[in-house]
Amino acid sequence: MSQAELPQGLSDDEAGRRLSTHGPNEIEDRERHGLASTLRGVATEPMFLLLLVAAAIYLVLGDLGEGLLLAFFAVVTVGLVIFQERRSEHALDALRGLASPHVRVVRGGQVRRIAARELVPGDLFLVGEGERVAADGIAREAGGLAVDESLLTGESVPVRKRASQQAAGASAEPIGGDDTPHVYASTLAVSGHALVEVLATGRGTRVGRIGASLADIETAPTPLQRHLRRLVQVFGAVAVLTSAALVAWYGLQRGDWMQGVLSAIALGMAMLPEEFPMTLTVFLALGAWRLARIKVLARRPAVIEALGAATVLCVDKTGTLTENRMRLARLVTDGADIVAKPGAPLPEDVHRLLEFGMLASRRGSIDPMDRALLDHGDTALADTEHLHPDWQLTHEFPLSPELLAMSHEWTDAAGVHRIAAKGAPEAVFDLCHLGPQRVQALLVRVRLLADQGLRVLAVAEGSSADGATAKQQHDYDFDLLGLVAFEDPLRESVPAAVAQAREAGIAVAMITGDHAATALAIAREAGIDIAAGTLTGAELQRMDEAALADAVRRVRVFARVLPEQKLRLVEAFRRNGETVAMTGDGVNDAPALKAAHIGIAMGVRGTDVAREAAGLVLLDEDFGRIVGGVRMGRRIFDNLRKVMIYITAIHVPIAGLALLPLVFGLPPLMLPAHVVLTEMVIDPVCSLAFEGAPEDPRVMRRPPRRSDEGIVGWPMLWRGLAQGGSLLAATMAIYVLALQAGRDADVARTLAVIGLTLGNLLLVAVNATVGVGWRTLFTASALAFWGVAAAASVALTVSLAVPATRRLLHFGVPAIGDLALSIAVVAVSVSLGAVLSFRARLQRDQHQANEDEQHRVP
């Protein structure tokens, strides 16, 4: 594209009219779980079905009150599920808006970044390397554009595209083949760039017409989700067998088959830990929403679990550690060394250097050095002969691994070719065929600039001996004009974030394509360990796998690294047993992002391919956000583990109280209504109280957990069983002693249910405050807990105070003394169970801490 002004494109008003006419650029509406879908899901839940069966049995037996009560509970259960589903869906809606693809469009003569769904026929949009084509269209300008159309053709070889000025119209030509001007939605630009006019959007595209939908890919269940499903299925199978045995035993032993069925239903409801999958869904959805609030977008739920285990953060320098707003700092020629200050005039000695630096840059580029040169030059060279809006760009030679320099061939008004090159100093010196002594003298100057943390490029002016376009850059005759140096300030948040990461046992490694001296200067300022110096891409290339694995144990600064070499670094870290988080933004970064345990793509300058390969997208590209994401990931993991322990614990007394009285020949204690009343406390507690629990103050002062340590494991289950067993023993003892003391069965049941409800709330308090202290119960973060506790207390009070409700629930009014004794017994038992469970945990954690200390990050 020439340096002349961009085409006008559509106006906002016209684009709005066409959007109304043609509709959004979407093939299908994104999949959402609407109300009907939620209701269908609830209708297949075992708990809901058991409630309906119990209500039907009561109605058949003529007990209208209990039947209607259970039907009411079924409606309330539906309401709770809808509330949790909607809460998760609202969080996911916010994430969909952040994750939706964007496109650079030309409107009103300006380049804007808009949601791809707002693209309309007639729009002009820019597509570059690594970006997916947003709509079917025709290339109006193209530079080295090659597109992977395998999505439509099945051919994996990219095809070349050329520009065309033919009249806009749907393409009748077959898809595939080189040198065609048409591009198609959802195909991938693997190299080059183009200005494309939109011909068709949404369902009018080739992809839309064959019914494909790439916007919404059904995500397979994560290992954790599959594990929890299996766990629920095992519990469900055991519940079915146990309930069936109970029906048979009760019917044959006592001859009361209906009571046996009702008791079996209560037992089945008590044994089903259906909260596991629901809690995981809610936590991951709201966890992703919380991460998005700190500018970290989680594209896959499993990555949230992995965040807390990260031991190495491999990060880019530019834009992640630094602000990615490079500005021109120095202009160096043989006769001048000028500090470039914004708005200040430049001496004539460096005008030509800046002029050809601009000519070697591309307008509309997202490259920060291109933008810095053009922004500074447009101001400093205004009203001089060094700006050339009438020149035409006729050929581009892009950067390549073999030659880290790029050249632009321009044609002036007289038809003469003018060539401008810029790139890594060593590469440009090679293009200029400088002698060894001259190169050594220039490299000394480069190192002096790089030692100051500056990014240095060389600029050259070239010509063609025969006046024709050359086949490669080396075929031109280049003369060195000088050096341009840029500064990219370190983000203010980085030193503190690096220090926090190291305190959390996480090593920070910087991987950059910059000069080694530049990398060391930035690393020193950021607080990254530089004791082992740097490892360059050339040195890395010569190492075998064993030597590289040994090197990455010590080195934390990697310079002059090519994108494809990042994969080797990730694999080397993984061979050393590290859990790796890797940032990347380019097409060639995708393999490294996939190989890392946690791939982190850049949200602003990252390509679509990088974002698709990554589990996380960093929306504002600040390194502090990565550390913040690790902190949030650890908090989410901790709270998930707490709620899993609680769910395990509370189901022990519920199931025990439904089964044991029958086994010992006592009157039934837990009827279906009592079980569902308890479940109505459990469900909101799981999704509200635990999910919103504050983080452990030591969350970033402990080493990462072991990578093989999952959320659900036997230590967690044993702690839950210890806590639940203590509460079961207390409530069962209350029930038995009350009956032996001559209390009515309804009164004994009331004392046990009150004890169970209190114990339930105490289990929540015990587990939610682990690591954060009891004082957090009196902060704003505990409002959900107190809300649920108040609702449970009111429900119990109403159940006892209203005679009709008391009869329906088979409750009796206990004496104050009995009630106080029951509360005291439950409080002591739950406290004892908590002490036993957490004592075992502390011993295990101390053993783990001793092992981790031996591997602490230096």
Side-chain angles (χ1 to χ4, degrees), residues 158-187:
V159 294
R160 294 189 307 271
K161 296 293 179 180
R162 60 174 175 83
S164 172
Q165 300 305 317
Q166 72 182 56
S171 171
E173 62 190 19
I175 300 174
D178 288 322
D179 298 320
T180 64
H182 288 93
V183 294
Y184 303 97
S186 298
T187 58

Side-chain angles (χ1 to χ4, degrees), residues 46 221 225-241 271-277:
Q225 288 171 324
R226 289 196 297 268
H227 178 71
L228 287 179
R229 285 181 185 176
R230 286 195 299 270
L231 193 64
V232 172
Q233 288 168 356
V234 169
F235 273 99
V238 172
V240 168
L241 294 175
M271 292 184 67
L272 277 176
E274 83 287 346
E275 299 89 359
F276 277 158

Side-chain angles (χ1 to χ4, degrees), residues 567 570 574 580-583 591-600:
L567 177 60
V570 170
R574 292 191 62 160
V580 185
M582 163 69 78
T583 66
L593 292 174
K594 274 198 171 292
H597 298 91
I598 307 161
I600 305 173

Side-chain angles (χ1 to χ4, degrees), residues 275 279 283 643 646-647 681-691:
E275 299 89 359
T279 297
F283 267 59
V643 78
Y646 162 72
I647 292 172
V681 175
I682 297 173
D683 285 349
V685 158
C686 291
S687 62
L688 296 175
F690 281 98
E691 196 282 327

Side-chain angles (χ1 to χ4, degrees), residues 553-774:
R553 289 190 178 95
R554 298 171 285 102
V555 179
R556 292 293 176 262
V557 181
F558 302 89
R560 281 291 193 254
V561 174
L562 296 172
E564 52 267 29
Q565 292 176 323
K566 288 184 178 181
L567 177 60
R568 287 195 66 200
L569 288 172
V570 170
E571 290 173 338
F573 278 118
R574 292 191 62 160
R575 275 194 297 274
N576 291 342
E578 306 285 2
T579 300
V580 185
M582 163 69 78
T583 66
D585 56 10
V587 174
N588 291 333
D589 291 336
L593 292 174
K594 274 198 171 292
H597 298 91
I598 307 161
I600 305 173
M602 300 295 103
V604 177
R605 58 192 164 92
T607 61
D608 291 341
V609 172
R611 283 191 286 267
E612 289 168 9
L616 293 177
V617 177
L618 207 58
L619 297 179
D620 67 355
E621 307 191 358
D622 184 346
F623 173 75
R625 304 298 188 188
I626 302 177
V627 178
V630 171
R631 172 187 289 274
M632 184 63 69
R634 290 188 177 190
R635 170 190 167 178
I636 293 168
F637 186 91
D638 286 352
N639 289 343
L640 256 177
R641 178 169 283 174
K642 290 176 183 178
V643 78
M644 296 301 176
I645 294 173
Y646 162 72
I647 292 172
T648 304
I650 192 56
H651 276 276
V652 172
I654 298 174
L657 294 177
L659 177 63
L660 293 181
L662 304 179
V663 172
F664 294 127
L666 301 174
L669 197 166
M670 295 292 283
L671 300 175
H674 304 128
V675 175
V676 77
L677 267 176
T678 308
E679 292 286 348
M680 286 182 185
V681 175
I682 297 173
D683 285 349
V685 158
C686 291
S687 62
L688 296 175
F690 281 98
E691 196 282 327
E695 68 181 37
D696 186 336
R698 300 162 298 176
V699 70
M700 293 298 283
R701 294 202 297 270
R702 64 178 188 238
R705 72 175 193 278
R706 297 166 64 100
S707 59
D708 58 354
E709 183 181 349
I711 292 177
V712 180
W714 283 112
M716 179 210 79
L717 292 175
W718 284 121
R719 288 201 294 275
L721 291 173
Q723 295 177 20
S726 298
L727 180 55
L728 172 60
T731 49
M732 190 65 194
I734 290 169
Y735 186 61
V736 172
L737 291 175
L739 291 174
Q740 290 180 349
R743 305 297 190 270
D744 182 76
D746 286 353
V747 172
R749 180 181 296 109
T750 302
L751 290 172
V753 171
I754 290 176
L756 176 63
T757 303
L758 173 64
N760 187 2
L761 296 173
L762 288 176
L763 285 177
V764 175
V766 164
N767 287 288
T769 57
V770 171
V772 296
W774 280 85

Side-chain angles (χ1 to χ4, degrees), residues 314-328:
C314 298
V315 297
D316 289 322
K317 176 185 74 70
T318 304
T320 307
L321 296 177
T322 61
E323 294 184 7
N324 197 25
R325 58 173 186 89
M326 278 195 172
R327 57 177 177 257
L328 189 61

Side-chain angles (χ1 to χ4, degrees), residues 301-314:
V303 79
I304 297 176
E305 181 187 1
L307 269 174
T311 59
V312 176
L313 298 181
C314 298

